[in-house]
Each structure stands twice: as structure tokens, then as C-alpha cells.
């Protein structure tokens, strides 16, 4: 639990930012997805070579250097680094689970990768058929890869992410977190911990981050979306009798909270943190403005600085709303209140499903590592 002296003074609020429900006077911050490569579980695409020992000797003339061979290289084959549970063809070179040197000899199947040639659960790369030079990584070649392992996605966020129980009508309020499971295969378990009204600081102070990280396993994913309430200049919240402002300056406190209370603790236990930029309010419809652009931009910048993946839901949603102007109306995207007015911050089921789909597009575009689990 954070010591009260290390957070903003109780009751204080910044004069910057955008009030809840209002438009920001700042720029849209609709820049592209953060640059830089993103690794999944500490590995670039191609997967982690783990486990395995020398359970069989190398073939005639074969050399095993730093790698693991349970099937033995073929005649003259060299097995370096990768795990080889099948044999490389005669004269084949198997490196890191893929054939990156010479072609397979006659009858060689091309260094098939077994269970060790992929990341946990077989996400990583395997050798292509025929011992081709520079075998592809990240996709299963013929005969390799194995079954995908089960994985969990935990979510921290606010009311735009939350799960709502009233689903009797497609016009009911919904958050994208409750729809996210629909884009994945059954091997992905989505645990949506988002709670209405929360800011990055509030969610942490009440112990929700610790609860997630105590449940998650190494290799699981932690999706983090805040900014909607962090832009509120006037509201406060209270934890353990201490009152705090909801507002967090996007370039200072907001980045600090995300880095210190989410990114660093996640990486320390082997959980993969993923920043999700907050979707804009309906002021984005017809391109009027992006009231959460400053906090979205702060997340893009933080992701680039910390080499953490960013799913740019803000840009995807903004572009969608601007493109459908003037028809159909935003009533099929944003939540409709009981008096018939449009809630400019929250979403109905249709809008929530759209945003879950946008996140699927982002996952594919940046190569997050969850792509094999996405439904077509």
C-alpha cells in the first residue's frame, strides 16, 4: 500500500486537463502506435528455447554446442542453441528451432522443432519444411510447434472497461472488458477487474494491482487502461480515510503511477504489462475533438520509453467515430440514458464489441504474442 505522503496532497487538483464529460483544449494526440519492438514474455518473436537436455548423442560427426538435442542431429549436422526433438536432415543445420544454415540433405525433413522449439505452449517459431535458410519465426512449420498453452489476460480499468450484468438488450451499458473474451479462443481466460470511477492511483491504492499480480502467472498478460477519470480536475476519491484528487497530469503523475505501480511490478514477476489508451468520449464523433488525447499520448510515450506494448484503442475508436459521420448516428455506439439522451462517456454493447475488435486489430498489428489465440 502506498504511503499517503508519497502521493499528491489530499484534496489538491490540477488546473490542467479536461473535466469529466468535457472536451480537452489540448491536442488530439492521435499519433500512431508507439514505436519500438515489443517482446512477449521477454522474447522477440520466435519463442523461448527452454528445457531439454542431451538425452541422445549427436549423430556421426554431429556437434551439440550450448543447445539441447533429444533426437540427435543427422549425419554431419550441427545443433546450436535450439532444442531439436526431431532430427535435422543429413547435413542440415538447426539453430534456435529453425533451419538457418544449409539445406536439408536427401531425405531430410528439415530440422523439425518439437515442444522446446516454441515459446511456452508452442507460440514460437519452428523449422520450415526442407531445411530452408533462415526459417521463419513466430509461426508453426510443418510438423512443429505443438499445442498452444492456456494463457490469462487480466484487465485494470474504469467504467468504460467494466463488466455490466444487465445484458437483456443490445442497448444496455457495457465495457470493452466484458466483450474481450469474444475475440479469443477458449484457451484465453479473461479476468476483467476494471471498476467504475477508478484512476490509475485509486486502483493501485485500494490493492487491486496486488490482487491481480498475486493471481497472475509468469507469461500472463496485464492490460491497463486509465485516463478517463484521471482527466477529471475537480473530483476526489478517498482511501483509508485520506482524500486524493482524481486528476493526474498526463506528462508527470500519470506516467509515474503507471510505471511505478503497474509496469515495474508486473515485469518483476514475469507478467507482461500492456498499456491500452483510453477511448475518446462522443465529442470525437465527426472529429469534433479528442478529450482524452493528452492521456492517450502520455501512454504512447511511456510505452516507447519503457519498451512496453501499447494497444492504441483511442486512435482506433476516434478514427471509427470520425469515419461514420454523419450516419449512422452515435446512438448505436454510446450508451443511451433512460431519458433518451446519449451518454458521452460510456458505451452500449455494440460499441463495446467494436472496441474489443479494435483491440484484436492492434494485437495483430504490433505482434503482441496473442495473435495465435485470436479468432478470425
Amino acid at each position: 500500500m502506498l504511503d499517503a505522503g508519497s502521493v499528491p496532497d489530499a484534496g489538491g487538483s490540477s488546473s490542467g486537463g479536461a473535466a469529466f464529460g468535457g472536451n480537452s483544449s489540448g491536442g488530439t494526440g492521435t499519433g500512431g502506435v508507439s514505436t519500438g519492438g515489443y517482446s512477449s514474455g521477454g522474447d522477440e518473436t520466435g519463442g523461448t528455447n527452454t528445457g531439454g537436455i542431451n538425452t541422445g548423442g549427436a549423430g556421426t560427426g554431429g556437434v551439440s554446442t550450448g543447445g539441447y538435442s533429444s533426437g540427435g542431429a543427422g549425419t554431419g549436422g550441427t545443433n546450436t542453441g535450439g532444442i531439436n526433438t526431431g532430427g535435422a536432415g543429413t547435413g542440415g543445420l538447426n539453430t534456435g528451432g529453425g533451419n538457418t544454415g544449409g539445406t536439408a540433405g536427401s531425405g531430410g525433413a528439415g530440422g523439425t522443432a518439437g515442444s522446446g522449439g516454441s515459446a511456452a505452449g508452442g507460440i514460437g517459431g519452428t523449422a520450415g519444411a526442407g531445411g530452408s535458410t533462415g526459417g521463419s519465426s513466430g509461426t508453426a512449420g510443418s510438423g512443429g510447434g505443438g499445442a498452444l498453452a492456456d494463457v490469462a489476460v487480466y484487465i485494470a480499468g474504469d467504467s468504460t472497461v467494466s463488466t455490466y450484468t444487465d445484458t437483456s438488450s443490445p442497448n444496455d451499458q457495457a465495457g470493452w472488458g466484458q466483450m474481450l473474451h469474444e475475440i479469443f479462443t477458449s484457451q484465453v481466460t479473461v479476468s476483467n477487474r476494471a471498476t467504475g470511477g477508478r484512476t490509475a492511483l485509486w486502483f493501485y491504492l485500494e490493492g487491486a494491482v496486488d490482487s491481480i499480480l498475486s493471481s497472475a502467472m509468469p507469461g500472463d498478460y496485464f492490460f491497463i487502461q486509465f485516463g478517463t477519470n484521471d482527466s477529471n480536475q475537480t473530483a476526489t476519491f478517498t482511501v483509508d480515510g485520506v482524500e486524493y484528487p482524481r486528476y493526474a497530469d498526463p506528462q508527470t503523475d500519470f506516467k509515474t503511477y503507471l510505471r511505478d505501480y503497474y509496469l515495474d511490478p508486473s515485469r518483476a514477476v514475469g507478467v507482461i504489462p500492456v498499456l491500452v489508451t483510453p477511448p475518446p468520449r462522443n465529442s470525437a464523433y465527426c472529429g469534433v475533438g479528442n478529450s482524452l488525447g493528452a492521456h492517450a499520448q502520455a501512454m504512447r510515450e511511456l510505452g516507447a520509453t519503457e519498451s512496453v506494448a501499447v494497444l492504441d484503442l483511442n486512435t482506433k475508436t476516434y478514427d471509427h467515430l470520425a469515419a461514420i459521420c454523419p450516419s449512422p448516428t452515435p446512438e448505436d455506439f454510446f450508451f443511451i440514458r433512460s431519458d433518451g439522451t446519449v451518454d458521452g462517456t460510456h458505451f452500449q454493447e455494440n460499441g463495446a464489441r467494436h472496441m474489443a475488435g479494435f483491440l484484436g486489430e492492434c494485437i495483430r498489428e504490433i505482434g503482441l504474442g496473442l495473435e495465435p489465440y485470436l479468432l478470425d
Side-chain angles (χ1 to χ4, degrees):
M1 186 61 66
L2 183 68
D3 181 64
S6 62
V7 296
D9 293 335
S13 63
S14 170
S15 60
F20 186 77
N23 296 330
S24 170
S25 59
T28 62
T30 58
V33 177
S34 82
T35 58
Y38 306 113
S39 63
S40 173
D43 307 294
E44 296 294 338
T45 56
T48 309
N49 290 317
T50 59
I53 59 174
N54 281 319
T55 57
T60 304
V63 180
S64 176
T65 305
Y68 307 98
S69 174
S70 61
T75 303
T78 302
N79 188 303
T80 305
I83 300 173
N84 181 18
T85 59
T90 303
L93 176 65
N94 187 297
T95 302
N99 289 322
T100 56
T103 57
S106 59
T112 307
S115 61
S118 63
I123 299 176
T126 66
S132 58
T133 301
S136 62
S137 61
T139 57
S142 61
L148 293 173
D150 292 344
V151 66
V153 175
Y154 292 84
I155 310 174
D158 51 44
S159 59
T160 64
V161 190
S162 298
T163 297
Y164 298 85
T165 57
D166 184 5
T167 57
S168 59
S169 166
N171 295 325
D172 289 330
Q173 185 172 350
W176 62 257
Q178 80 184 72
M179 303 300 181
L180 192 65
H181 72 280
E182 296 181 358
I183 73 171
F184 291 119
T185 67
S186 60
Q187 292 161 292
V188 176
T189 299
V190 176
S191 180
N192 186 14
R193 307 289 185 90
T195 306
R198 296 309 187 265
T199 66
L201 178 60
W202 189 357
F203 195 87
Y204 168 77
L205 286 177
E206 64 186 2
V209 175
D210 290 342
S211 177
I212 288 173
L213 295 182
S214 66
S215 301
M217 301 294 291
D220 285 342
Y221 290 79
F222 186 12
F223 285 16
I224 305 152
Q225 184 211 281
F226 291 103
T228 303
N229 298 301
D230 303 78
S231 65
N232 191 324
Q233 298 181 65
T234 58
T236 62
F237 67 90
T238 301
V239 175
D240 294 334
V242 180
E243 187 177 27
Y244 303 90
R246 293 196 191 188
Y247 181 77
D249 180 83
Q251 287 298 320
T252 56
D253 291 340
F254 187 59
K255 286 183 176 180
T256 298
Y257 298 155
L258 292 174
R259 182 190 66 234
D260 293 353
Y261 305 150
Y262 294 83
L263 306 187
D264 288 348
S266 297
R267 293 181 289 198
V269 296
V271 173
I272 304 166
V274 180
L275 295 172
V276 181
T277 59
R281 297 186 175 96
N282 74 337
S283 57
Y285 181 64
C286 292
V288 174
N290 189 344
S291 59
L292 296 175
H295 285 80
Q297 180 61 18
M299 296 182 90
R300 297 183 195 106
E301 294 169 359
L302 182 63
T305 300
E306 295 291 322
S307 297
V308 169
V310 178
L311 302 180
D312 198 354
L313 182 60
N314 180 274
T315 294
K316 288 282 188 181
T317 306
Y318 183 93
D319 290 348
H320 171 78
L321 294 173
I324 65 174
C325 176
S327 180
T329 63
E331 280 80 353
D332 69 346
F333 200 90
F334 289 93
F335 178 57
I336 307 299
R337 301 184 184 95
S338 58
D339 62 2
T341 59
V342 178
D343 182 320
T345 299
H346 303 99
F347 306 92
Q348 58 180 268
E349 290 183 20
N350 183 61
R353 284 194 170 92
H354 269 296
M355 290 187 292
F358 297 157
L359 290 174
E361 293 175 10
C362 291
I363 288 170
R364 284 192 172 94
E365 288 168 2
I366 70 172
L368 183 60
L370 286 169
E371 302 89 282
Y373 298 93
L374 290 171
L375 296 171
D376 292 332

